[in-house]
Amino acid sequence: MKIATIVGARPQFIKAATLSRVIKNFTAIHEIIIHTGQHYDPNMSGIFFEELNIPEPDINLEIGSGNHGKQTARMLEGIEEVLLREKPDWVLVYGDTNSTIAGALAAAKLNIKIAHVEAGLRSFNRSMPEEINRIATDHISDVLFAPTQNAMQLLAKEGLADKAVFSGDVMYDSIEYYKIIAEKKCFLHNIIKEEPGKYFLATVHRQENTDQIKNLQSIFLAFSELDMPVIVPLHPRTLKLMDEITYRSNVKIINPVGYLDMITLLSNCHKVLTDSGGLQKEAFFLKKPCITLREETEWIETLEGGWNYIVGANKLKIIEKVNANHVQEQKYYFGDGKASEKIIEYMSKNA
Ligand code: UD1
Ligand code: UDP
């Protein structure tokens, strides 16, 4: 059986690392990795392949950045060519990026079966490019691997129950596996000077915060008023805007880091402030309270007990919720850490 895995953006490399490791245990499965080139800076792409031992992409389409339509169209053209040549049994796509929809659409047009990992997530905000990508991908895929029961229910509401399979969350598998490696290999003081528990960890990259400079400014003014250093490994999209933004010296901007360093920064921080989807969950997994710099979240399970607060870009709300409490207990919604095995077993039986 041949699987063509489509990746292109940072969070997809992390998810693919975990599935590729499982695929290696199935001798009857041959995986080819197609990298669209959506992310290309060494610290947004290459570092993940190296440190997570992801097999080198068989093909890198090197599409790079661009407007949504042009970028997606170029990926579609490139992926189609590869699929025609490679004739895989399955195309495997992750999440909700432009690489996801391009991979799914290319496969759908060629009648190749599509597996969508992290299906059934909805923000109900169609101004987000990710919401369009994930709805479209879910509706043209053949199997929808849902990370939570809530995702299963949302798929059922859209008439997709017969294609939905509860797998659990691949990112939970990832962090369970890599946190042990990070503990052995990474040291906080090799990354930053701050002491454990004495800094906030923040990331910002979503279109709603970067395209509206007043939102970005408001977020950084809130960071500036916090009573501890705020470590911000900053996505290149946001880094390019920082000349226009005012902030105080407690805000420490660093380049994006690899996944193992990120786990180390997360494990040692006081709380997390982010607009990232993946980081909201990882904060929950490692029991760090999170303040989400968006108007909604797809990961509603994390809101229970005050583990995650939705605050948007509003400075006062950010500061208020940084100081809010959370209960100690957490319920587990994200599977048993074996989502990747379930996904590959299903695909293997249904090739
Ligand atoms: C994409 C995803 C988003 C995901 C994020 C993960 C879409 C629509 N969005 O957003 O859902 O949360 O990846 O990180 O697919 N850039 C660089 N170097 C790089 C990559 C990007 O400088 O290696 C800069 C470019 O200026 C580019 C901008 O970042 O125009 C945005 O990159 P793009 O891949 O279009 O979207 P992301 O914001 O990364
Ligand atoms: N991440 C990382 N280095 C960084 C910032 C984030 O390894 O400097 C990881 C983070 O731990 C999570 C993933 O990247 O696993 C999230 O990706 P991102 O925030 O870019 O995308 P999203 O999840 O919002 O789609």
Side-chain angles (χ1 to χ4, degrees):
M1 181 180 93
K2 193 189 244 186
I3 298 178
T5 294
I6 315 281
V7 290
R10 172 168 66 188
Q12 295 167 333
F13 307 140
I14 295 163
K15 293 165 204 168
T18 297
L19 258 85
S20 289
R21 207 178 52 250
V22 171
I23 291 175
K24 279 188 206 133
N25 299 330
F26 286 70
T27 45
I29 303 180
H30 174 54
E31 180 186 33
I32 57 163
I33 297 184
I34 305 171
H35 187 330
T36 63
Q38 179 171 351
H39 287 175
Y40 44 86
D41 287 348
N43 56 15
M44 293 295 288
S45 173
I47 191 171
F48 296 96
F49 285 83
E50 284 151 30
E51 76 173 12
L52 307 183
N53 284 321
I54 312 171
E56 272 295 298
D58 297 270
I59 295 108
N60 188 331
L61 298 171
E62 296 181 357
I63 303 299
S65 306
N67 290 340
H68 287 281
K70 188 173 174 186
Q71 187 189 47
T72 311
R74 292 186 63 215
M75 290 176 188
L76 182 58
E77 187 180 1
I79 295 168
E80 179 179 62
E81 213 169 277
V82 180
L83 296 182
L84 281 168
R85 194 170 64 233
E86 295 287 342
K87 299 186 176 43
D89 301 288
W90 281 104
V91 163
L92 177 57
V93 295
Y94 295 93
D96 53 19
T97 72
N98 289 347
S99 299
T100 314
I101 182 62
L105 199 49
K109 300 266 181 185
L110 295 172
N111 288 322
I112 299 171
K113 281 195 298 233
I114 307 159
H116 185 204
V117 172
E118 220 172 67
L121 277 297
R122 298 290 181 267
S123 64
F124 302 101
N125 172 1
R126 288 206 180 198
S127 69
M128 289 176 70
E130 293 86 358
E131 184 78 351
I132 306 299
N133 289 342
R134 55 172 91 100
I135 292 172
T137 302
D138 279 344
H139 283 262
I140 59 175
S141 291
D142 297 273
V143 57
L144 304 169
F145 291 114
T148 60
Q149 291 297 346
N150 181 51
M152 290 291 284
Q153 280 163 23
L154 291 177
L155 290 169
K157 277 193 192 146
E158 291 180 24
L160 296 170
D162 57 335
K163 294 181 179 175
V165 173
F166 174 70
S167 57
D169 195 326
V170 168
M171 287 197 82
Y172 180 56
D173 299 15
S174 294
I175 204 143
E176 285 294 294
Y177 181 82
Y178 287 110
K179 76 180 181 196
I180 296 161
I181 299 176
E183 259 166 36
K184 286 188 194 139
K185 274 195 169 173
C186 301
F187 302 96
L188 186 64
H189 286 156
N190 289 346
I191 316 169
I192 54 168
K193 290 200 296 282
E194 279 65 30
E195 294 304 318
K198 301 238 165 93
Y199 64 91
F200 294 100
L201 177 64
T203 72
V204 189
H205 74 276
R206 290 293 173 144
Q207 187 167 296
E208 69 216 61
N209 288 326
T210 54
D211 284 10
Q212 299 198 43
I213 210 78
K214 69 170 188 4
N215 282 357
L216 194 61
Q217 182 59 79
S218 172
I219 288 169
F220 275 84
L221 286 178
F223 290 177
S224 299
E225 290 195 18
L226 300 183
D227 58 358
M228 275 192 234
V230 185
I231 305 295
V232 197
L234 207 50
H235 189 296
R237 174 184 194 136
T238 323
L239 214 42
K240 287 176 184 152
L241 300 167
M242 289 315 286
D243 285 349
E244 301 171 49
I245 301 296
T246 315
Y247 55 92
R248 275 190 28 216
S249 62
N250 70 312
V251 179
K252 299 187 194 297
I253 292 173
I254 60 173
N255 283 320
V257 296
Y259 185 51
L260 299 180
D261 279 353
M262 192 63 184
I263 293 176
T264 307
L265 287 174
L266 179 58
S267 310
N268 288 288
C269 76
H270 176 51
K271 291 188 180 184
V272 172
L273 298 104
T274 191
D275 59 9
S276 160
L279 193 54
Q280 283 176 62
K281 276 185 298 170
E282 288 169 342
F284 185 82
F285 298 153
L286 296 189
K287 298 195 165 56
K288 298 291 175 180
C290 183
I291 290 89
T292 292
L293 309 166
R294 287 180 45 197
E295 296 295 342
E296 66 281 312
T297 182
E298 297 80 21
W299 303 105
I300 54 164
E301 300 81 2
T302 61
L303 300 175
E304 261 188 42
W307 282 98
N308 189 6
Y309 287 105
I310 304 296
V311 294
N314 183 299
K315 184 181 113 173
L316 293 179
K317 276 198 202 160
I318 297 172
I319 296 167
E320 180 197 325
K321 293 303 182 192
V322 162
N323 296 315
N325 291 326
H326 62 276
V327 300
Q328 290 309 315
E329 324 79 64
Q330 276 187 348
K331 287 193 199 138
Y332 280 85
Y333 296 102
F334 296 91
D336 56 4
K338 297 206 179 312
S340 316
E341 278 88 347
K342 285 182 197 136
I343 289 168
I344 300 304
E345 270 162 26
Y346 181 96
M347 290 173 74
S348 161
K349 284 185 191 141
N350 293 279

